[in-house]
Amino acid sequence: MSDKMVACGSYMLCELAPEKSTGGILIPDSVKSRDNKRAVVTSKGPECVGEIKLGDVVLLPQVGFATIKVKSSTMFLIKERDVMARWTSDGSQDT
């Protein structure tokens, strides 16, 4: 039996994106902003038909998603419609 978690319906499963300073230094959790979170999309439910792709970095709202702790990772389960913005997997931002 596999232990892989996948999103269902119109939900997306996201993993917390590592935050770096402009100089490339990883920022520890204790000093990160407590506002909106950046997360990488790792799984999409079959009803997600929008422009967000696996691997995109998305901006999550402050509320309206489930936080799941899996081993040493923090995962988020969010409806596709609640994503506020996205960065594509190639690093560019759509306009």
Side-chain angles (χ1 to χ4, degrees):
M1 184 165 130
S2 174
D3 286 344
K4 182 177 180 184
M5 185 185 307
V6 294
C8 299
S10 62
Y11 283 91
M12 295 186 310
L13 188 63
C14 304
E15 187 171 0
L16 192 59
E19 287 188 39
K20 291 184 181 178
S21 70
T22 54
I25 299 170
L26 287 174
I27 301 171
D29 290 337
S30 59
V31 294
K32 286 183 185 175
S33 170
R34 302 292 181 227
D35 298 329
N36 302 84
K37 298 182 183 320
R38 290 171 49 128
V40 179
V41 178
T42 59
S43 174
K44 290 176 52 174
E47 295 174 21
C48 291
V49 294
E51 59 205 34
I52 298 171
K53 299 174 187 75
L54 294 179
D56 283 351
V57 176
V58 295
L59 183 65
L60 305 180
Q62 292 179 358
V63 296
F65 55 87
T67 302
I68 305 159
K69 299 283 185 177
V70 180
K71 297 180 184 173
S72 62
S73 299
T74 300
M75 307 289 287
F76 303 101
L77 195 57
I78 185 168
K79 285 214 174 252
E80 182 180 34
R81 69 171 186 238
D82 293 333
V83 170
M84 300 173 64
R86 76 178 174 110
W87 289 263
T88 60
S89 19
D90 65 2
S92 64
Q93 198 172 16
D94 290 346
T95 56

